Every structure is written in structure tokens, then in C-alpha cells.
Amino acid sequence: MRLDLPKIYPITDTRLSGLSHAGQVARLIEGGASLIQLRDKLSAPREFYREAAAALQIARDHGARLIINDRVDIALALKADGVHLGQTDIPVAAARRLLGKETIIGFSTHNMEQAKLAANLPVDYLAFGPIFPTSTKENPEPVTGLVAMSEVATSKGSLPLVAIGGITFENAREVLKAGADTVAVIAELVADPRKIAENTSRMLALLSLISLMPNLSSPG
Ligand code: TZP
Ligand code: MG
């Protein structure tokens, strides 16, 4: 069945926010997030596992879904809601065999060729980007721009499309209008730890207007 995604998909970053994953998840949920990804390229697996367990407890208490970046083992061990895999992680089909059919599997793509191949894989959503320049990811792939993303949106079939990379208050509406179902956002939501809840609710409000007023112009 097609996965129903909220308009925003925040991703945690402990280095940028200076907060634990659990601390970020609590604030993101306070702001209205219902699907959150834990991303951690720095911690040892044991540390990430411990942090993810705490974050998952908070998510469960509030009915939010939690996706683990990269680590199928941690997602499996904690019975998280899903895992997010990239082009160099373990193959999606292998992850699917381990996790079963109910667990969400998201998959990162960075160009049309990868997106086309992904359409035949057992994934629940396709991520595409970086749409805009980003300084959050180390060694990011080349910026795709919105035109390439629109082409993916029209050719991918029914898979939900998550746009990622450099998404801000300024451009998020444009991204959804160009065909993405959801925006995955790190810096704009979590870089200022004092404003995580506020930023999340503000972006949700900005994007929920889209379905009500499709012709709204971009914020000035
Ligand atoms: N994959 C492509 S761009 C990116 C990832 C993980 C980082 C997105 O972070 P930000 O701060 O929203 O640009
Ligand atoms: Mg990965």
C-alpha cells in the first residue's frame, strides 16, 4: 500500500543542534512532526543504539514514526518504524528480507538513472537530492535542481517522493509545487536548538496552505 507521508520529514543532527537525538525528537514532535529520521554519522553504533532507543520511546509516546538512517541492525533491534538507505548501504532487497514487509524502507537517489532503478526496488518512498546546495552533508552529490526533481516526480510512478538538500522556509513551497510529496529538512529545522519546535510548526503551517491555496506565491 502507498505510504502516506506528512508534508515535512525532519532529520536529526546532533552536531548541528548540539542536542541529543531524543532532545531533538521531543522538540520536533512538539512542533507537529509525525515522521522523523535519526541520522548519525559520528556516534559509535552502541551509542547510536542507546540514543535511538530513547528517541523511539518519545516517538511512541506521541504516536510519531521514527526512521533510522543507515543502520538496518539498529532499526531491527529496536523495532523502529523504518530505515533509510543510500546508494552505498546494504541492498534494499536484503534489508527488506531482514525487516519484513511492514517496516518502512526509504531510499536515496541523486539522479534520474538511480531514481528509475529504484522504482523497481522494494522501497516505500524515494528520496531525491540534494535539490539545492547544502552544507549539512559531507561530500554531497551534485545539486540536482528542481527541474530534475520534477522529471523524477513524473516518471517514478506511485512511489512517494521526498525532496532533500538545502530546503528552507524560502523554497519549501516551491519544492512541493514542483512535484515532491514531502520535504526532508535538517539545518532549517534543527540548527538553532531553541527554535526547533517553533520552526517545525512554522514550516508545517507554510506547507499545509499549499493544498488549500495552490496558487499562493512564494513568501517574500
Ligand atoms: N542527503 C542529501 S542532502 C542531505 C542529505 C542527508 C542533507 C540535507 O540537509 P539540509 O540541512 O536540509 O540541507
Ligand atoms: Mg546511508
Side-chain angles (χ1 to χ4, degrees):
M1 221 179 58
R2 189 179 198 269
L3 181 64
D4 195 21
L5 294 176
K7 291 268 191 294
I8 66 168
Y9 180 12
I11 302 177
T12 57
D13 189 310
T14 52
R15 188 185 50 85
L16 261 184
S17 66
L19 295 175
S20 66
H21 291 289
Q24 292 169 82
V25 163
R27 288 162 175 81
L28 289 163
I29 290 174
E30 188 190 334
S34 55
L35 177 74
I36 299 167
Q37 183 185 132
L38 301 191
R39 181 173 184 272
D40 196 325
K41 303 287 184 183
L42 301 172
S43 300
R46 180 175 302 200
E47 176 66 11
F48 190 27
Y49 173 88
R50 203 175 53 78
E51 280 262 334
L56 189 60
Q57 187 61 53
I58 294 170
R60 290 272 183 272
D61 289 347
H62 295 87
R65 291 179 291 183
L66 210 68
I67 308 292
I68 307 288
N69 185 274
D70 291 343
R71 304 296 308 224
V72 175
D73 51 352
I74 294 178
L76 188 62
L78 291 175
K79 298 191 172 62
D81 298 282
V83 71
H84 183 93
L85 298 174
Q87 295 288 324
T88 58
D89 293 315
I90 74 163
V92 162
R96 179 58 77 201
R97 284 195 293 278
L98 287 170
L99 294 167
K101 59 180 191 306
E102 301 301 327
T103 304
I104 298 169
I105 299 182
F107 188 49
S108 285
T109 63
H110 314 289
N111 55 50
M112 179 57 97
E113 192 191 345
Q114 290 174 356
K116 278 191 175 146
L117 288 171
N120 296 315
L121 296 176
V123 297
D124 298 291
Y125 70 81
L126 206 69
F128 189 76
I131 309 293
F132 304 112
T134 176
S135 38
T136 305
K137 187 178 188 175
E138 291 206 355
N139 305 316
E141 298 75 12
V143 167
T144 64
L146 276 181
V147 173
M149 193 207 77
S150 291
E151 287 165 8
V152 167
T154 46
S155 71
K156 69 180 173 43
S158 62
L159 266 185
L161 179 63
V162 174
I164 185 162
I167 297 174
T168 61
F169 290 111
E170 206 63 23
N171 62 31
R173 260 197 317 226
E174 223 188 323
V175 175
L176 291 194
K177 284 185 192 165
D181 297 292
T182 301
V183 291
V185 183
I186 305 181
E188 191 79 328
L189 295 179
V190 307
D192 183 343
R194 294 159 306 179
K195 292 198 174 160
I196 294 178
E198 179 189 327
N199 286 340
T200 303
S201 58
R202 188 175 148 214
M203 194 171 283
L204 265 174
L206 184 77
L207 298 181
S208 58
L209 287 176
I210 284 198
S211 32
L212 300 173
M213 301 182 195
N215 293 323
L216 261 187
S217 58
S218 296

